[in-house]
Amino acid sequence: MSEVTFEELFKRYMSGALNAEEIRLFRSMALRPENKARLSQLLQEAFNDPDYAEQADFDAGEMAEEIMMKAKQSEMIPVLHPARKPIVARSWFKYAAAAAIFLLLLAVSWEWNTRKRTRAITQETQLKPGTARPVLILGDGTRIALDSAANGAIAQQGSAQVIKLANGQLAYKQFSQKNTGLVYNTMQTPNGCLYQLILPDGSHVWLNAASSIRYPAAFPDDKRMVEVSGEAYFDIVKDDNKPFIVTAKGMEVQVLGTAFNIMAYTDEGAVKTTLVQGAVKINAGRVLHPGEQAVLSTSGELVINKPAMEEILGWKNGEFNFKETNISTIMRQVARWYDVEIKYEGDMSGIELSGIVARTATISQLLKALELTKIVRFKIQGRTITVMPYHEAN
């Protein structure tokens, strides 16, 4: 990797052929002072390409200067580009060329010269993610906001103590072997919130935004059974004598010791379980192997496929990670994370995007990244976002 030239990386970057490591290398090389003139030249050559010329509405040299000026101010390095197939009747090459230019700019700076462009998104639109807090619901219905609860024991549930750890996580400590009956707790994450929970058996659960898990404060002797709504990632402690079972919208996932992701939002058309390691059995039938995903449709049909794991686990890794993802699917994720309402105007069919954006971005930054593809545009009114095809928003 260290011997590859800047020009070679630029060429492959323009065609979307770089892997994640190569993208990071290209970004760092693009910011080196000795590459400033060459970057401007390469950009100008790309802009002069006849297949791209009709798409450009700004100067390549000006863009290169803006990249260098703003790079040090950028606190995040997103990657975003249109999916690699025709959308709204434009040719693949024009899309790829335009997307590569926008991607290059976006990869090193959120702000660039917009004097030749008008936008529906303003700098005042700074709806920030991750500001909501999780809530624990005890067996008697008592609700505990975990951000305001002190560290240490916060409740007693049957034969277990509920403890808030110093890192904000929740854990359960059994203080009696006496069977006092099952007492169920529920952990809820609202929009804009992620949370990691340690279950009574020591298993770890990560909850995505707008999700919940219902579980006993102490598991019985024969099995460990929990119920999930929304999305959760599990890392299960192995116990051959006590199988672990997750139920979600008609899907039952039985495991021993394994790691997997389950997505069961009510506004999604299917329940999806994706296995990271180990083995799970779906609905007492099909056994999944690592890298496989079981998709249960609303009609009850079960399909097995092999998804892009980085896309499935992007939320847990602090990213929006899309791979030829339909715009409505993207916006559902946006709605959960930023706690906004989504509306649509115009024909949005066939619009798909690929890319990576950090979840620490403000909604303004994320939507600007989407707009730079020249495929979609947005109008924001309060907490309502209207999504429009780019050509219908001019």
Side-chain angles (χ1 to χ4, degrees):
M1 272 299 300
S2 60
E3 297 180 358
V4 68
T5 67
F6 181 61
E7 289 76 9
E8 290 171 335
L9 285 173
F10 180 88
K11 182 177 180 181
R12 294 179 59 203
Y13 192 90
M14 293 291 286
S15 63
L18 294 185
N19 59 35
E21 181 182 355
E22 291 169 332
I23 288 175
R24 285 192 292 270
L25 175 61
F26 175 73
R27 289 170 176 166
S28 65
M29 293 179 70
L31 295 177
R32 294 176 187 172
E34 63 268 26
N35 287 328
K36 178 179 178 181
R38 185 58 178 146
L39 173 61
S40 181
Q41 180 183 354
L42 291 170
L43 281 167
Q44 189 64 57
E45 291 173 357
F47 272 64
N48 289 336
D49 189 304
D51 288 294
Y52 178 74
E54 65 181 80
Q55 301 291 337
D57 60 355
F58 42 85
D59 179 76
E62 185 179 8
M63 178 189 282
E65 288 295 325
E66 196 71 18
I67 288 173
M68 294 305 176
M69 277 196 316
K70 297 290 187 178
K72 291 184 179 180
Q73 302 173 16
S74 179
E75 296 179 354
M76 59 196 319
I77 301 179
V79 178
L80 189 66
H81 53 84
R84 296 292 196 265
K85 63 183 184 179
I87 302 175
V88 292
R90 296 184 187 177
S91 71
W92 177 90
F93 183 84
K94 290 178 182 177
Y95 254 103
I101 293 294
F102 295 136
L103 174 58
L104 176 59
L105 171 63
L106 196 60
V108 292
S109 173
W110 275 112
E111 303 297 335
W112 61 287
N113 193 333
T114 57
R115 288 173 293 177
K116 298 182 181 180
R117 181 181 300 229
T118 58
R119 293 188 179 279
I121 301 175
T122 68
Q123 290 298 315
E124 288 71 34
T125 307
Q126 297 294 333
L127 299 180
K128 296 181 179 180
T131 56
R133 295 294 181 263
V135 174
L136 172 66
I137 304 175
L138 301 179
D140 63 359
T142 300
R143 300 173 69 90
I144 299 177
L146 293 184
D147 61 329
S148 58
N151 294 340
I154 60 175
Q156 180 176 324
Q157 295 289 278
S159 61
Q161 253 188 349
V162 187
I163 300 173
K164 182 183 176 183
L165 304 178
N167 60 6
Q169 294 178 15
L170 209 63
Y172 286 77
K173 181 180 180 180
Q174 305 300 317
F175 62 84
S176 172
Q177 297 299 318
K178 183 179 179 180
N179 186 358
T180 58
L182 295 182
V183 178
Y184 283 90
N185 286 184
T186 300
M187 179 62 69
Q188 289 183 342
T189 53
N191 288 342
C193 177
L194 300 182
Y195 189 72
Q196 183 180 350
L197 166 72
I198 303 175
L199 293 175
D201 67 336
S203 296
H204 286 245
V205 182
W206 288 257
L207 288 178
N208 200 350
S211 301
S212 68
I213 179 170
R214 183 175 182 267
Y215 54 93
F219 288 114
D221 295 333
D222 58 340
K223 62 184 176 181
R224 298 167 288 170
M225 197 162 189
V226 303
E227 182 180 353
V228 167
S229 174
E231 186 165 21
Y233 178 91
F234 289 86
D235 190 351
I236 303 302
V237 172
K238 186 174 182 180
D239 186 342
D240 293 334
N241 298 317
K242 192 182 292 187
F244 196 101
I245 300 171
V246 182
T247 62
K249 285 180 61 180
M251 180 180 283
E252 182 179 282
V253 180
Q254 181 175 336
V255 306
L256 292 175
T258 191
F260 63 98
N261 190 84
I262 185 165
M263 190 277 289
Y265 284 109
T266 56
D267 58 354
E268 298 288 348
V271 183
K272 299 178 181 180
T273 293
T274 308
L275 185 62
V276 177
Q277 63 184 34
V280 298
K281 183 179 291 186
I282 304 298
N283 289 355
R286 175 65 186 267
V287 175
L288 288 188
H289 301 288
E292 291 185 333
Q293 180 184 76
V295 181
L296 181 66
S297 68
T298 53
S299 65
E301 181 183 10
L302 184 66
V303 177
I304 309 299
N305 57 38
K306 290 189 175 183
M309 297 299 288
E310 63 274 13
E311 179 182 8
I312 300 299
L313 302 179
W315 70 270
K316 181 176 174 288
N317 298 326
E319 301 172 339
F320 290 103
N321 193 312
F322 310 126
K323 185 174 183 181
E324 297 187 3
T325 306
N326 184 274
I327 186 63
S328 60
T329 300
I330 291 174
M331 297 312 295
R332 284 196 294 272
Q333 293 186 35
V334 170
R336 294 177 197 125
W337 189 233
Y338 296 95
D339 192 22
V340 293
E341 180 184 357
I342 307 298
K343 294 183 178 181
Y344 297 91
E345 289 183 5
D347 182 11
M348 307 302 296
S349 61
I351 294 181
E352 297 180 345
L353 297 174
S354 297
I356 303 171
V357 175
R359 285 193 170 213
T360 53
T362 65
I363 198 167
S364 176
Q365 291 170 327
L366 174 62
L367 297 184
K368 282 180 182 178
L370 293 170
E371 279 196 343
L372 286 174
T373 63
K374 284 191 173 181
I375 298 176
V376 290
R377 294 195 69 172
F378 304 91
K379 178 173 62 179
I380 298 181
Q381 295 176 308
R383 302 196 74 88
T384 300
I385 300 173
T386 303
V387 189
M388 303 164 283
Y390 187 88
H391 68 282
E392 292 186 17
N394 292 323

